[in-house]
Amino acid sequence: MSQTETAEQLPMQIDWPRFVEFIGGKEKILLTTHHRPDCDAVGSELGMVHVLKRLGKEVMTANPFEVPPNFQFLDPDGLLQHFSKVPKDYMDSADLLLVLDTTAWAQLGAMGDVIRAFQGDVAVMDHHISGDDLGAILFKDTTAEATGRLVFEAAVHLGVEVTPEIAAPVFAALATDTGWFRFSSTTERTYQLAARIVAAGARPDQIYKDLYECETLARINLTGRVLAKTRTELDGRLIHTWISLDDFDTCGALPGDSEDLINMTLAVAGTEFAVIFVEQRIGGFKISFRSRCKLDCSKIAAQFGGGGHKKAAGASVAAETIEQAHSEVLAVVREAMQ
């Protein structure tokens, strides 16, 4: 199967004996994940750090970001770091660079150049359908609800006891990528996995509180501005909104404060597809798509060089204004919905 996949291809699943053998031959490992990280990215990376450390491996992280404040509670020891802080001798001597939760060059930001120059093996652990050819060894399961599941399964297959320090970030990854178990990706298997993670020491009540009940006034104000801009089309089936740099600055909000705001728009009765545009400091707009109809978000995102899942996906456009971004993207969505 090609490393560059399409939604029409058969689901991929991981050959776990091959993964165990592969990891067994590595001693010095680098982990990374995508920029503008969500909780699945952060939680999966932290969980894998602890899994590999319990195997006696040398492990460091090299990310294209500083940990967002709202996720720092998952990383009390400061294990997640920007790639610029990794000592050069470690980077040069590591024998594996493992990418978690993405197979897309666009999502790796400045880490893309690091990966291209890396002298050891590059591997990917991911659950997204779409992706690019990173020249990596793929450990990919497109049936998984979250990469967090794959980290838990990796621990089991590697014979590592799932401790509370592994369980907490992995539960956060699973819970958030399933919308706290309300998305259609949630199945009986999801609840079975959640029960095993809780039994291993995760505390859902505390994780939920840390994620959603420690809001800043800045995020609350940003939420209000975003919802006030929300508009519907196609008899209410399509809903969209946007966030400008001025919105962030006026509210004193951080980029991570925009996470999950798109899901609020789907609370409007009759909506089937949602789009949010987020203006970027480096220019252009990040776009997120959500679907609760037959329209496949990953297919829409792929038209703009992005990817993801059927129900949730993202991309970016190099538009100079929100009007240009709206014109370019919403025309594609309208045509697909009609």
Side-chain angles (χ1 to χ4, degrees):
M1 181 177 289
S2 169
Q3 289 177 321
T4 302
E5 298 170 70
T6 65
E8 287 77 20
Q9 290 176 304
L10 294 174
M12 295 182 70
Q13 291 185 289
I14 292 174
D15 180 345
W16 286 112
R18 176 174 174 246
F19 175 80
V20 171
E21 181 180 4
F22 178 74
I23 291 296
K26 306 301 177 184
E27 295 300 328
K28 187 177 285 190
I29 300 171
L30 275 170
L31 301 179
T32 193
T33 186
H34 55 82
H35 65 176
R36 296 193 291 268
D38 58 7
C39 206
D40 193 22
V42 170
S44 297
E45 188 175 21
L46 278 168
M48 186 60 78
V49 168
H50 292 299
V51 169
L52 295 174
K53 281 182 175 291
R54 290 188 67 82
L55 285 174
K57 309 293 185 182
E58 289 186 67
V59 189
M60 294 189 75
T61 64
N63 294 310
F65 59 81
E66 301 288 351
V67 182
N70 55 322
F71 294 152
Q72 287 177 357
F73 76 95
L74 290 170
D75 186 24
D77 299 323
L79 297 174
L80 302 187
Q81 63 182 350
H82 193 273
F83 68 84
S84 63
K85 297 178 182 177
V86 179
K88 186 178 185 302
D89 62 343
Y90 191 97
M91 189 78 75
D92 291 342
S93 60
D95 50 12
L96 171 63
L97 199 164
L98 179 60
V99 181
L100 294 154
D101 199 43
T102 185
T103 326
W105 284 120
Q107 288 194 313
L108 289 163
M111 267 302 293
D113 290 337
V114 176
I115 293 169
R116 291 182 180 95
F118 188 70
Q119 296 301 303
D121 284 334
V122 176
V124 168
M125 178 171 283
D126 187 24
H127 71 127
H128 294 95
I129 293 173
S130 57
D132 301 321
D133 185 351
L134 304 186
I137 301 164
L138 291 184
F139 297 103
K140 198 168 184 178
D141 184 347
T142 59
T143 70
E145 320 89 322
T147 301
R149 166 183 283 280
L150 307 182
V151 174
F152 183 92
E153 292 181 353
V156 172
H157 286 281
L158 289 166
V160 172
E161 177 187 0
V162 179
T163 61
E165 63 185 358
I166 296 171
V170 167
F171 184 90
L174 179 70
T176 54
D177 244 35
T178 58
W180 279 82
F181 311 106
R182 73 184 193 278
F183 293 166
S184 60
S185 58
T186 304
T187 66
E188 179 182 356
R189 290 177 65 237
T190 312
Y191 289 109
Q192 291 170 345
L193 176 60
R196 295 176 69 186
I197 301 172
V198 171
R203 292 185 53 195
D205 59 331
Q206 187 61 50
I207 293 169
Y208 187 93
K209 179 180 178 181
D210 288 334
L211 279 173
Y212 303 114
E213 296 177 350
C214 295
E215 297 284 19
T216 63
L217 182 59
R219 176 172 158 86
I220 294 295
N221 288 333
L222 182 68
T223 301
R225 291 174 73 99
V226 172
L227 295 181
K229 295 181 182 182
T230 302
R231 300 290 183 269
T232 60
E233 300 184 26
L234 304 181
D235 297 323
R237 293 188 299 123
L238 170 61
I239 191 164
H240 53 86
T241 187
W242 67 288
I243 309 175
S244 68
L245 294 179
D246 182 64
D247 291 327
F248 285 113
D249 294 340
T250 300
C251 298
L254 300 170
D257 290 328
S258 65
E259 292 295 329
D260 296 326
L261 295 185
I262 187 174
N263 295 324
M264 293 184 181
T265 66
L266 283 173
V268 177
T271 55
E272 297 178 357
F273 199 88
V275 186
I276 188 170
F277 300 80
V278 182
E279 189 175 8
Q280 302 296 298
R281 297 280 176 194
I282 59 175
F285 291 82
K286 173 189 173 185
I287 318 152
S288 294
F289 305 98
R290 296 291 185 273
S291 175
R292 58 181 183 190
C293 60
K294 292 182 179 180
L295 185 56
D296 188 331
C297 290
S298 68
K299 292 182 179 180
I300 300 293
Q303 297 186 54
F304 302 98
H309 306 287
K310 289 184 178 180
K311 298 298 183 181
S316 296
V317 292
E320 295 183 2
T321 66
I322 185 59
E323 291 79 15
Q324 182 182 350
H326 277 159
S327 176
E328 184 176 346
V329 176
L330 294 181
V332 172
V333 175
R334 291 185 195 108
E335 181 179 359
M337 293 188 72
Q338 291 172 335

